[in-house]
Amino acid sequence: MRPLHPLKFMVQTTLLIGITWMVFLAGAAFASPSQDFAGQVYQPQHLTPIDSELNVRVGDQAPDFTLPATQGETITLSDFQGQKNVMLSFVPAAWTPVCSDQWPGYNILQDIFDAHETIILGITVDNIPTLHSWIAAMGGLWFPVLSDFWPHGHTAEVYGLLRSDGTTERALIFVDKQGVIRFTHVEDINIRPPLEIVMEGLQALGDPAP
């Protein structure tokens, strides 16, 4: 194997250390659920881990959709083609403990998502007023959050992620700049997806920007 150029080796080593450190910090954030509004969060019973069958596969063109976002605009998935990769983050419901910890944990990973030219689109079946107040309680998010409220859960259903109780699975779908699905993961609804899964998905989109 040909040895790396010293400068390239240094850059790659620095990037790896940076990513490792950021993941460590994010892990710490994940391990410390928000206590600011803990008393307002609904505590569900243990749920069936996965209650639907995924309709999309790696290599498929991602089904397009247009959904309203909490900031008042509408967002269409295909508008990102040629511009950014996209991580679709479906979560079951607002004001529940696991969901209230998962998305704030992505705030500390923004630099890593930026390096991979990737935007997150958070999606739930909650309505806009509910999402607005929930995001404010979480202290804000750097990525758009979309409401799949009406027709209820239609986008989740197209992806095969709508559960029989009307909520969605806890799932991550990574879509590249050509609109092709490069990585999928459906997590047990009762737990957060490990950060290693997020990193694996980003790696599937290709090398980060130099």
Side-chain angles (χ1 to χ4, degrees), residues 46-57:
H46 185 83
L47 300 170
T48 302
I50 296 174
D51 187 39
S52 66
E53 186 173 346
L54 195 61
N55 284 339
V56 296
R57 293 178 174 78

Side-chain angles (χ1 to χ4, degrees), residues 45 54 106 109 187 191 198:
Q45 301 295 316
L54 195 61
Y106 295 153
L109 297 177
E187 184 61 77
I191 60 177
V198 176

Side-chain angles (χ1 to χ4, degrees), residues 25-33 101-106 108-109 192-195:
L25 290 176
F30 269 40
S32 303
D101 294 337
Q102 180 180 341
W103 281 355
Y106 295 153
I108 203 167
L109 297 177
R192 292 186 298 268
L195 288 172

Side-chain angles (χ1 to χ4, degrees), residues 14-111:
T14 302
L15 180 61
L16 180 61
I17 292 173
I19 290 175
T20 302
W21 179 241
M22 294 296 287
V23 169
F24 171 77
L25 290 176
F30 269 40
S32 303
S34 174
Q35 298 299 315
D36 295 340
F37 60 104
Q40 304 172 49
V41 171
Y42 174 72
Q43 299 290 334
Q45 301 295 316
H46 185 83
L47 300 170
T48 302
I50 296 174
D51 187 39
S52 66
E53 186 173 346
L54 195 61
N55 284 339
V56 296
R57 293 178 174 78
V58 171
D60 289 352
Q61 196 73 22
D64 199 17
F65 58 80
T66 299
L67 291 172
T70 55
Q71 296 303 312
E73 75 276 38
T74 57
I75 291 182
T76 298
L77 176 62
S78 58
D79 285 349
F80 292 97
Q81 288 188 23
Q83 307 294 324
K84 279 185 176 294
N85 304 306
V86 179
M87 183 183 88
L88 304 178
S89 176
F90 290 86
V91 300
W95 298 105
T96 53
V98 179
C99 301
S100 298
D101 294 337
Q102 180 180 341
W103 281 355
Y106 295 153
N107 278 344
I108 203 167
L109 297 177
Q110 182 177 0
D111 288 346

Side-chain angles (χ1 to χ4, degrees), residues 56-60 62-63 159 173-175 179-184:
V56 296
R57 293 178 174 78
V58 171
D60 289 352
Y159 277 76
I173 309 291
F174 289 79
V175 182
V180 177
I181 294 173
R182 294 302 180 192
F183 187 84
T184 66

Side-chain angles (χ1 to χ4, degrees), residues 13-14 21-22 26-27 33 45 57-58 66 99 112 121-122 143 145 149 155 166 168-169 176 189 196 200:
T13 301
T14 302
W21 179 241
M22 294 296 287
Q45 301 295 316
R57 293 178 174 78
V58 171
T66 299
C99 301
I112 296 176
L121 297 181
F143 52 87
V145 171
F149 178 70
T155 298
T168 69
E169 304 289 0
D176 70 13
I189 195 173
E196 291 81 359
E200 190 175 349

Side-chain angles (χ1 to χ4, degrees), residues 83-86 112-119 177 207-209:
Q83 307 294 324
K84 279 185 176 294
N85 304 306
V86 179
I112 296 176
F113 277 90
D114 288 345
H116 285 80
E117 299 179 313
T118 302
I119 184 76
K177 293 178 184 177
D207 294 332

